[in-house]
């Protein structure tokens, strides 16, 4: 079989064959150093400007060679998703597999073409290296093993979310977003690298890595348990949260961030309401403290505080002026974004723990602050921002100039008003989008077509509303204009005919104060039967009463509170939008903070009482 | 012991003595020991003493993510690491139902044959050294280094390529790589006559190796012998052809056999396989440019990758024989159990113990190298 010219017997002449090698070049390789191949996996380099300290390299390292080290002086910003930690490599453990490079969400880390590192015995520490862009010996070797598109181990694409198409959803207030299926949720959850940037960025520090992991493991109840550690408004936040978590997500550095908000929504919808109540009740103390707490306003801040305090065994009563709970989440957010039954489910969890809500009870009218103080150990006001601000431009006192919050409240409560055939909205925030899109649905139902113009002060680069809100509003036929400042409401014979706007040159002055400058030449007229102002809200603090208002400290019209929401009166706290904006998840975070402060106050009262008992 | 208490122990007169061969011995591959009982220089009894290189790989793998093990498996067999990566990946692909792209399959075959060439050059180089012919070893190692250069270019690593992952390979073939590989093959082919003159037809080797460590085909099958060692007894069995994986069924190559079953026959089979591997590589070089497409199928984020519950037994033909992985998944992010069926554990323990009987002391090293047993793979 073998094709070797094989002879059984040797020849005496065969050794002379080796003479031919005298004419050949030597096999020995020259000892000059040669460059490594372009793909070589040598020592690490790390672009510190790109690196965000997410520690994913550390998680994938199969030899535990990577330690995250704090580097003082580097930027650190939880909201942007940047930590001042950088990976340090222990070359006593590293095996140069390069998995850290392939999985790096930012693409900052790579391996160089550098071959050699040696050291004396007293320099053994030099095997522990904090890679920077210059390489282990600062010699700027070219990159070897680097991130390539076809070897990337990060899943950059998000699972698509089903939505009602624009022409279909405009007919009704049905929820637009369909939600994930179980399979989609598990796949989406599997994209997470558990870096915890979301946890740091979230105002209430939700345990997102934990609940995403639980969803991936198929344990939705555990996911809900993790959510209730920090957020009793998970149904609401799963739909309308401003999702700072996703802005900070490390996967979002090069791709689409993990759909943390939709995953939360999926887990909450996947667990039956009754089971959620059982999970939320876990850890509630089984004694009654005897302390009584009054909370004014059944919005997210007030109810979150109520949730925390009832779990500590206090008696909590919430006073709500309207007939339904939720505050701005109900009366400010349209139903197509947040169905009311999901909000009701969140509130039902809180009331199932024993929180009493007294509806149709306006503090200041049906019950006074003095009475609240007399009957309770501590009082929290969390009344939100219920009054819309006015532009105060000429003509803005016309009855057909309305405030967005008033209209949204009327739509939710089913109160009738004359729907304008053409409407102009002033403002560029999410509330402006909410009212424009709600009116668009009513116009479609009544007139069969949508005629709404939104005039925003900001340009599209600095727009306040979420990009998806803008996209969806446009899909629904709403015209959105940027850099338009309101000049005057045009009224002819007592009838409102439209709005004049001017082009915006700048919004803030050199000191960064709000002082818009307009181009007087660039004037436009937007016809309409109604002008809606959506430029911000303020709080209605008349409930406090004159005497208390006098005693409290104020800061530019806002109630002055310390960082825990404690006012200058020892028994009074304030929370939520009225002191600290601007959205649901901030209100939830604020509710927790204030509840903790109230809890400390009550504990002090208890210990004083015990001390008194001992001395007497 | 106090001198006054010392009493010489009387022993019956005997020509027999025990010798510890290894674990650090130039005639042993890696760290491996052999305890032999000798009568003069004839082996009366031989006991293999493995375990010096035991690192607990199979257990380690149970504690690591599926993807982390790709950095671990090549270390099981240092001279021939690529089949380890490929076989492990094949098992996960089978359990997980991953469709490996065609291009990745061809690249894998290319690596496997490059690795076989490198391993064989190393193996008979080693064998030559045991018969005192160090030139062959130097040549073998120097030529193997040229293959490692190509590995460095393709995979980023010279010895441990860590290049195959479940689903495909990690990088595409660099530009111009196939041309450089092609000229390397030309060079290696031109070297074969030199190797023949220097070693394979050299009477120093032929006379030393003939009849040493011989086994029959029947014995070989009974003892679990595979690979070139089995083919040296005349049985034409090769996993590449009898249970084809990747794209071996599309390739044209022969299965060399010999009939002697001894150390000489085993080396001649390896020598003939060099030529076949070069032949396969030339076909890959010709076909690969026309096969376009991805080099890896999409895989989940490795940190959250549950391979579905199931088990797989996958086998490949490594340079040393039949290499197989038995992998069990219970649906978790780590393997439940991985068993490596390495060819060397049979060759270095049960076969070597038997073949050494009656041999002379100086042939033990020759027999071990002719079996191409790899102690790190025995111990794992």
């Amino acid at each position: 079989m073998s094709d070797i010219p094989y002879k059984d017997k040797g020849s005496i002449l065969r050794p002379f064959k080796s003479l031919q090698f005298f004419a050949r070049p030597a096999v020995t390789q020259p000892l000059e150093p040669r460059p490594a191949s372009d793909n070589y996996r040598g020592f690490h380099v790390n672009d510190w400007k790109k690196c965000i300290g997410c520690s994913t390299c550390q998680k994938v390292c199969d030899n535990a060679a990577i330690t995250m080290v704090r580097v003082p002086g580097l930027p650190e910003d939880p909201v942007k998703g940047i930590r001042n930690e950088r990976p340090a490599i222990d070359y006593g453990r590293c095996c140069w597999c390069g998995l850290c490079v392939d999985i790096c969400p930012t693409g900052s880390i790579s391996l160089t073409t550098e071959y050699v590192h040696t050291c004396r015995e007293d320099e053994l520490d030099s095997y522990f290296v904090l890679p920077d862009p210059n390489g282990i010996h600062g010699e700027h070797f070219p990159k070897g093993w680097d991130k390539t598109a076809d070897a990337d181990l990060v899943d950059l694409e998000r699972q698509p979310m089903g939505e009602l198409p624009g022409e279909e959803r405009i007919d009704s207030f049905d929820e637009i977003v369909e939600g994930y299926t179980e399979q989609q949720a598990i796949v989406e959850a599997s994209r997470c690298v558990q870096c915890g940037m979301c946890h740091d960025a979230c105002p209430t520090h939700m345990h997102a890595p934990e609940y995403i992991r639980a969803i991936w493991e198929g344990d939705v109840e555990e996911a809900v348990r993790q959510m209730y550690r920090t957020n009793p408004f998970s149904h609401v936040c799963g739909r309308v949260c401003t999702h700072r978590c996703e802005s900070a997500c490390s996967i979002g550095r090069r791709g689409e961030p993990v759909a943390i908000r939709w995953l939360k929504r999926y887990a909450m919808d996947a667990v039956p309401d009754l089971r959620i109540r059982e999970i939320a009740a876990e850890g509630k103390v089984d004694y009654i403290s005897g302390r009584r707490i009054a909370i004014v306003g059944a919005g997210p801040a007030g109810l979150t505080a109520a949730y925390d305090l009832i779990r500590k065994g206090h008696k909590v009563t919430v006073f709500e002026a309207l007939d339904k709970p939720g505050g701005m989440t109900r009366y400010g957010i349209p139903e197509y974004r947040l169905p009311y039954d999901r909000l009701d489910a969140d509130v039902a969890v809180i009331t199932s723990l024993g929180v009493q809500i007294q509806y149709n009870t306006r503090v200041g009218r049906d019950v006074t602050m003095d009475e609240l103080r007399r009957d309770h150990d501590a009082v929290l006001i969390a009344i939100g921002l219920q009054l819309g601000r006015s532009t105060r431009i000429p003509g803005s006192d016309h009855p057909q100039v309305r405030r967005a919050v008033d209209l949204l409240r009327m739509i939710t409560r089913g109160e009738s008003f004359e729907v304008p055939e053409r409407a102009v909205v002033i403002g560029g925030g999410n509330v402006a989008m909410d009212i424009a899109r709600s009116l668009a649905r009513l116009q479609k139902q009544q007139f069969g077509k949508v005629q709404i113009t939104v005039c925003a002060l900001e340009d599209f680069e600095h727009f306040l509303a979420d990009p998806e809100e803008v996209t969806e509003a446009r899909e629904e036929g709403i015209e959105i204009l940027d850099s338009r400042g309101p000049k005057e409401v045009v009224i002819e014979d007592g009838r409102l005919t439209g709005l004049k706007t001017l082009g915006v040159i700048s919004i803030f002055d050199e000191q960064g104060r709000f002082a818009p400058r307009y181009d007087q030449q660039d004037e436009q007229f937007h016809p309409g039967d109604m002008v809606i102002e959506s430029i911000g809200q303020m709080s209605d603090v008349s409930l406090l009463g004159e005497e208390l208002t006098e005693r409290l400290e104020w800061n530019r019209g806002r109630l002055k509170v310390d960082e825990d929401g404690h006012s200058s009166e020892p028994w009074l706290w304030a929370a939520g939008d009225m002191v600290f904006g601007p959205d649901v998840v901030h209100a939830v975070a604020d509710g927790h903070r204030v509840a903790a402060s109230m809890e400390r106050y009550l504990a002090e009262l208890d210990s004083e009482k015990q001390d008194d008992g001992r001395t007497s | 012991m106090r001198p006054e208490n010392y009493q010489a122990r009387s022993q019956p007169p005997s020509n027999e003595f025990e010798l510890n061969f290894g674990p650090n011995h130039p005639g042993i591959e890696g760290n491996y020991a052999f305890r032999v009982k000798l009568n003069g220089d004839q082996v009366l009894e031989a006991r293999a003493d493995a375990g010096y290189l035991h690192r607990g790989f199979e257990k380690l793998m149970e504690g690591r993510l599926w993807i982390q093990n790709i950095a671990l498996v090549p270390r099981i067999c240092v001279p021939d690491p690529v089949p380890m990566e490929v076989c492990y990946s094949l098992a996960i692909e089978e359990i997980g139902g991953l469709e490996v792209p065609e291009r990745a399959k061809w690249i894998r075959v290319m690596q496997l044959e490059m690795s076989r060439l490198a391993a064989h050059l190393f193996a008979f180089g080693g064998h030559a050294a045991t018969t005192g012919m160090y030139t062959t070893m130097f040549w073998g190692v120097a030529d193997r280094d040229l293959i490692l250069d190509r590995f460095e270019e393709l995979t980023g690593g010279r010895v441990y390529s860590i290049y195959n992952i479940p689903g495909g390979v990690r990088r595409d073939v660099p530009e111009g790589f196939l041309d450089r590989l092609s000229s390397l093959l030309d060079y290696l082919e031109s070297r074969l006559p030199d190797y023949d003159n220097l070693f394979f037809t050299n009477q120093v080797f032929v006379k030393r190796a003939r009849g040493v460590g011989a086994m029959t085909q029947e014995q070989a099958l009974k003892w679990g012998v595979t690979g070139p060692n089995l083919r040296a007894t005349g049985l034409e069995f090769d996993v590449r052809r009898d249970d084809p994986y990747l794209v071996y069924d599309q390739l044209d190559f022969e299965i060399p056999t010999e009939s002697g079953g001894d150390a000489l026959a085993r080396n001649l089979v390896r020598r003939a396989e060099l030529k076949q591997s070069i032949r396969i590589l030339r076909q890959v070089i010709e076909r690969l440019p026309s096969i376009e497409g991805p080099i890896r199928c999409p895989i989940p984020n490795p940190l959250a990758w549950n391979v579905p519950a199931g088990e797989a037994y996958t086998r490949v033909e490594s340079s040393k024989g039949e290499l197989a992985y038995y992998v069990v998944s219970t649906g978790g992010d780590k393997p439940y159990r991985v068993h490596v069926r390495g060819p060397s554990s049979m060759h270095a323990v049960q076969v070597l113990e038997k073949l050494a009987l009656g041999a002379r002391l100086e042939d033990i090293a020759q027999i071990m190298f002719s079996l191409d047993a790899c102690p790190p793979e025995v111990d794992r």
Side-chain angles (χ1 to χ4, degrees), chain A residues 316-390:
Chain A
V316 183
T317 314
V318 180
F319 298 88
E320 169 58 47
L322 296 170
D323 59 348
K324 293 255 174 66
M328 267 299 172
T329 50
R330 180 182 300 272
Y331 297 108
I333 301 173
E335 199 178 3
Y336 60 83
R337 279 175 62 201
L338 174 62
Y340 300 136
D341 70 319
R342 294 296 87 202
L343 172 61
D344 290 340
D346 270 345
V347 176
V349 172
I350 295 167
T351 52
S352 75
L353 296 174
V355 172
Q356 301 275 335
I357 306 181
Q358 292 192 15
Y359 296 110
N360 301 315
T361 310
R362 184 173 284 280
V363 175
R365 186 188 69 197
D366 302 321
V367 56
T368 63
M369 284 300 283
D370 283 343
E371 284 168 329
L372 289 186
R373 191 195 166 182
R374 189 188 64 210
D375 297 340
H376 300 87
D377 296 292
V379 179
L380 166 64
I381 47 176
I383 52 175
L385 306 171
Q386 301 293 345
L387 297 179
R389 288 184 189 275
S390 170

Side-chain angles (χ1 to χ4, degrees), chain A residues 231-238 299-301 303-304 329 343 346-347 350 584 588:
Chain A
N231 192 345
F233 277 87
S234 290
H235 269 311
V236 173
C237 284
L303 287 180
T304 301
T329 50
L343 172 61
D346 270 345
V347 176
I350 295 167
V584 183
V588 169

Side-chain angles (χ1 to χ4, degrees), chain A residues 391 425-433 454-466 470 474 479-486 501-508 512-518 522 534-536:
Chain A
T391 53
V425 177
I426 304 173
N430 281 332
V431 177
M433 296 299 136
V454 177
C455 301
L457 210 55
E458 296 78 16
D459 59 14
F460 282 126
E461 268 183 37
H462 304 91
F463 221 62
L464 297 178
D466 293 341
V470 176
R474 284 197 176 127
E479 184 187 19
I480 300 174
L481 304 173
D482 67 336
S483 298
R484 301 303 309 172
T501 61
L502 297 170
V504 175
I505 299 169
S506 67
I507 300 176
F508 298 100
R513 282 180 302 223
F514 181 75
R517 279 172 56 225
Y518 300 129
D522 177 14
S534 173
I535 58 160

Side-chain angles (χ1 to χ4, degrees), chain A residues 9-261:
Chain A
K9 269 199 165 172
S11 154
I12 198 162
L13 296 173
R14 283 196 62 182
F16 293 104
K17 274 195 174 175
S18 59
L19 288 176
Q20 63 175 306
F21 287 96
F22 283 118
R24 291 207 204 168
V27 175
T28 344
Q29 299 294 310
L31 285 173
E32 290 157 24
R34 61 165 179 80
S37 72
D38 294 343
N39 240 353
Y40 188 66
R41 299 195 300 259
F43 298 100
H44 296 73
V45 281
N46 189 13
D47 185 345
W48 280 13
K49 283 187 186 139
K50 258 196 205 171
C51 182
I52 53 171
C54 68
S55 77
T56 309
C57 47
Q58 184 187 26
K59 290 193 187 73
V60 85
C61 181
D62 45 311
N63 300 311
I66 298 181
T67 314
M68 297 306 289
V69 176
R70 269 179 72 91
V71 183
L74 287 180
E76 186 176 27
D77 187 348
V79 177
K80 285 183 184 159
I82 300 171
R83 290 194 194 120
N84 62 354
E85 293 179 354
R86 295 294 178 264
I89 321 276
D90 180 352
Y91 283 119
R93 303 190 70 108
C94 178
C95 76
W96 288 272
C97 63
L99 283 177
C100 50
V101 177
D102 287 0
I103 205 165
C104 177
T106 64
S108 70
I109 202 163
S110 45
L111 302 173
T112 59
T113 56
E114 189 167 7
Y115 272 129
V116 182
H117 172 70
T118 52
C119 71
R120 295 194 307 270
E121 200 170 317
D122 58 343
E123 296 170 333
L124 286 176
D125 280 354
S126 69
Y127 282 100
F128 193 72
V129 177
L130 184 67
D132 57 17
N134 307 330
I136 181 170
H137 302 118
E139 290 181 14
H140 298 275
F141 268 83
K143 279 182 187 174
W145 189 265
D146 200 5
K147 191 107 171 163
T148 60
D150 49 5
D152 199 353
L153 291 177
V154 185
D155 191 353
L156 298 175
E157 279 175 35
R158 184 184 267 214
Q159 286 293 300
M161 172 55 81
E163 284 187 4
L164 290 177
E167 60 275 13
E168 209 171 297
R169 66 183 183 234
I170 187 74
D171 288 339
S172 70
F173 280 81
D174 289 350
E175 191 174 16
I176 294 172
V177 172
E178 285 168 5
Y180 279 146
T181 62
E182 184 185 359
Q183 184 62 25
Q184 280 179 312
I186 289 175
V187 174
E188 183 62 26
S190 80
R191 296 176 62 220
C192 174
V193 292
Q194 301 278 308
C195 64
M197 291 291 186
C198 44
H199 173 90
D200 297 354
C202 177
T204 185
H205 300 300
M206 285 200 77
H207 295 82
E210 287 84 353
Y211 71 70
I212 293 173
R213 190 80 179 174
I215 291 170
W216 173 69
E217 285 166 352
D219 190 351
V220 279
E221 288 191 3
E222 176 61 25
V224 169
R225 189 171 290 120
Q226 293 292 343
M227 290 173 200
Y228 266 89
R229 287 170 74 182
T230 49
N231 192 345
F233 277 87
S234 290
H235 269 311
V236 173
C237 284
R239 285 173 163 80
V240 298
C241 186
T242 45
H243 55 74
R244 287 212 323 211
C245 48
E246 294 182 21
S247 313
C249 177
S250 59
I251 304 293
R253 291 276 152 177
R254 289 184 302 121
E256 296 171 297
V258 176
I260 304 173
R261 180 173 57 166

Side-chain angles (χ1 to χ4, degrees), chain A residues 6 14 24 115 146 192, chain B residues 152 171 194 201 210 301:
Chain A
Y6 179 71
R14 283 196 62 182
R24 291 207 204 168
Y115 272 129
D146 200 5
C192 174
Chain B
E152 181 189 320
R171 290 287 186 283
D194 291 343
T201 64
R210 172 166 298 150
N301 167 16

